[in-house]
Amino acid sequence: MTLMLGVTLAGRDVLLVGGGPVAAKRLRRFLAEGARPRIVAPVLHAESARLVEHHGVAWEPREFCPTDLDGAWLVHTATGDPHVDRLVAEQCESQRVLCINASDGERGSARLTAQAEIGDVTVGVTSTVGADPRRSVAVRDAVVDLVADGRLPLRRRRTARSGRVDLVGGGPGPADLMTVRARRLIAEADVLVIDRLGPAAEITQGLDPDVMVIDVGKRPGRHPVPQDEINRIIVEHAAAGHRVVRLKGGDPFVFGRGGEEMLACLAAGVPVDVTPGISSAIAVPQSAGIPVTHRGTAAAFHVVNGQGGFGPGTLEAMADATVTTVVLMGVAALGRLVDSALAHGVPKDRPVAFVESGHTPQQRTTRTTLGRAVGDARAVGLRNPAVIVIGEVASEHLLLPTPVASGAARA
Ligand code: SAH
């Protein structure tokens, strides 16, 4: 029978008997736990010697003797000689010190588990009958996969002493374009603060009913929640001990005001982290088969907020036919943007593509040119959300060969 304990070794004296490769592996693990290891071994293998030297671990270069156990909370014996390991384990037993016996787990009083930390949970696996480390590792890895992408019920049932905020990138729409980390953080969240872009609708369907969902997005007939108020909401919930996920479309740091939310958390002393997302700036053109850079065609790309108009740097760059301009939030300002580009001498025949609702079933792509862009936008009824791509990469035939008229002879 085995009782798994979550033991805290930080600052505690751990004795390692033996200096071979197994000892080195364990030494590394104990050091990572913050333990204070000591080592007793006549000789050290290279890796143990390196760790001893590097971390200033106390080393007695001799055989084990029973007084070595004095002060130890835990002993690990891996001398390479099962007989010696057994003697060490027996000494531990008589002195009531827990002992991990590397050569024969059955003859030690403690065992290491195949362990992993994912977010704020720790998973440990061991066998109850006969050690089988490779199986334990395989089981652990399978559990880690489930935990890591949020398929296990990870939400805390008890409020933590301190909450936190995660600014999480949701990608351009479908939930399977989110990162595995994003899925896990959402599964752990007590409070989810969402807006209308990205995978919010799909994600909120599968949530625990007692997860609080706060929608701060724009909706028809409703004003969006002002940024100050969003900052206040995330900080307050985290300060109350909750795990807050601020889910954003695309990437939090690309026109997502993630920087402001981060500053608000830092100013309030709330722990905050950012999980990147797939930005529509790259992924929405991609969904229409448009690479933002393409060898020989486009060597750089500018990502612009259309509401602010084109700045002098962008207009300068647009004169260069090898630069792609990607405009977000540009639908309402399209006329003004096109006028300024044309006035700056960007050619009328520069290819333009409108990609609406990229990566969703409603996706629609319109190919046009700078000269025809405004008329074509009106003709198709261009609507948000849309990404406007200006540059040679927006040409319809960049990746798809020019269609050959039916019946035309091929060379
Ligand atoms: N942080 C986001 C961008 C937020 S600004 C990101 O990294 O993607 C909002 C703008 O993103 C919209 O006006 C639109 O230009 C663009 N956008 C976001 N999702 C989109 C989608 N699925 N299809 C087209 N454009 C999208």
Side-chain angles (χ1 to χ4, degrees):
M1 294 275 275
T2 303
L3 171 71
M4 268 212 261
L5 286 178
V7 176
T8 304
L9 288 178
R12 305 224 149 99
D13 185 337
V14 175
L15 174 70
L16 284 103
V17 184
V22 176
K25 250 168 71 181
R26 300 301 157 75
L27 182 55
R28 211 176 300 121
R29 190 156 161 191
F30 291 135
L31 285 166
E33 288 295 318
R36 274 195 291 125
R38 296 181 277 134
I39 192 158
V40 174
V43 283
L44 293 183
H45 273 244
E47 182 56 10
S48 296
R50 196 188 63 76
L51 289 168
V52 162
E53 165 93 24
H54 189 258
H55 295 275
V57 174
W59 170 41
E60 297 282 351
R62 54 167 173 76
E63 301 289 344
F64 167 79
C65 70
T67 52
D68 290 331
L69 300 184
D70 296 349
W73 290 76
L74 178 70
V75 174
H76 183 277
T77 181
T79 60
D81 180 343
H83 182 67
V84 176
D85 286 342
R86 188 169 164 183
L87 283 175
V88 173
E90 283 169 6
Q91 272 300 323
C92 288
E93 195 66 23
S94 69
Q95 295 199 30
R96 303 180 179 200
V97 183
L98 290 173
C99 178
I100 301 162
N101 180 345
S103 54
D104 183 356
E106 308 283 301
R107 292 183 197 273
S109 50
R111 262 189 233 162
L112 282 173
T113 60
Q115 186 180 328
E117 263 172 52
I118 325 114
D120 64 358
V121 297
T122 299
V123 172
V125 179
T126 187
S127 299
T128 42
V129 181
D132 190 347
R134 283 174 55 192
R135 180 184 63 171
S136 297
V137 164
V139 173
R140 175 202 64 192
D141 290 347
V143 176
V144 166
D145 284 348
L146 290 173
V147 174
D149 56 14
R151 277 181 287 160
L152 293 184
L154 280 178
R155 216 162 65 73
R156 291 186 69 97
R157 306 296 145 120
R158 220 185 251 189
T159 306
R161 234 170 296 153
S162 64
R164 53 173 293 118
V165 172
D166 282 282
L167 308 177
V168 173
D176 64 353
L177 282 182
M178 301 176 74
T179 62
V180 171
R181 188 185 303 173
R183 296 305 293 261
R184 172 176 59 76
L185 290 169
I186 289 167
E188 290 173 354
D190 306 307
V191 179
L192 201 58
V193 182
I194 58 170
D195 41 34
R196 84 220 130 97
L197 276 178
E202 195 176 337
I203 283 297
T204 46
Q205 277 166 20
L207 290 176
D208 228 61
D210 48 353
V211 176
M212 186 190 290
V213 178
I214 304 172
D215 184 351
V216 294
K218 269 191 233 165
R219 293 246 207 80
R222 223 190 71 176
H223 286 298
V225 177
Q227 189 62 45
D228 284 355
E229 179 71 8
I230 297 175
N231 296 352
R232 195 189 57 72
I233 290 170
I234 59 176
V235 164
E236 267 186 23
H237 284 283
H242 293 129
R243 297 278 309 255
V244 179
V245 164
R246 169 71 177 112
L247 181 64
K248 290 167 169 295
D251 185 275
F253 280 3
V254 178
F255 301 129
R257 306 192 74 170
E260 290 158 73
E261 292 172 7
M262 185 146 187
L263 285 171
C265 292
L266 293 173
V270 164
V272 58
D273 209 350
V274 186
T275 297
I278 293 179
S279 177
S280 61
I282 296 170
V284 168
Q286 175 276 320
S287 71
I290 300 171
V292 290
T293 71
H294 188 63
R295 199 174 165 83
T297 304
F301 60 101
H302 271 219
V303 180
V304 184
N305 172 358
Q307 289 169 336
F310 290 140
T314 302
L315 287 168
E316 203 61 46
M318 285 173 95
D320 179 347
T322 70
V323 172
T324 304
T325 307
V326 178
V327 186
L328 306 188
M329 299 174 276
V331 171
L334 182 69
R336 188 156 55 96
L337 294 170
V338 167
D339 286 349
S340 70
L342 291 173
H344 200 80
V346 183
K348 275 211 306 265
D349 61 353
R350 179 69 56 80
V352 171
F354 307 134
V355 189
E356 298 166 78
S357 300
H359 288 288
T360 75
Q362 294 76 40
Q363 177 171 331
R364 179 171 69 155
T365 306
T366 306
R367 310 273 182 165
T368 178
T369 60
L370 201 57
R372 289 190 283 110
V374 173
D376 284 350
R378 201 174 303 123
V380 300
L382 179 65
R383 288 179 46 195
N384 278 313
V387 169
I388 301 164
V389 187
I390 305 168
E392 292 303 326
V393 289
S395 149
E396 184 152 19
H397 306 304
L398 182 76
L399 298 184
L400 304 172
T402 313
V404 179
S406 62
R410 285 177 193 242

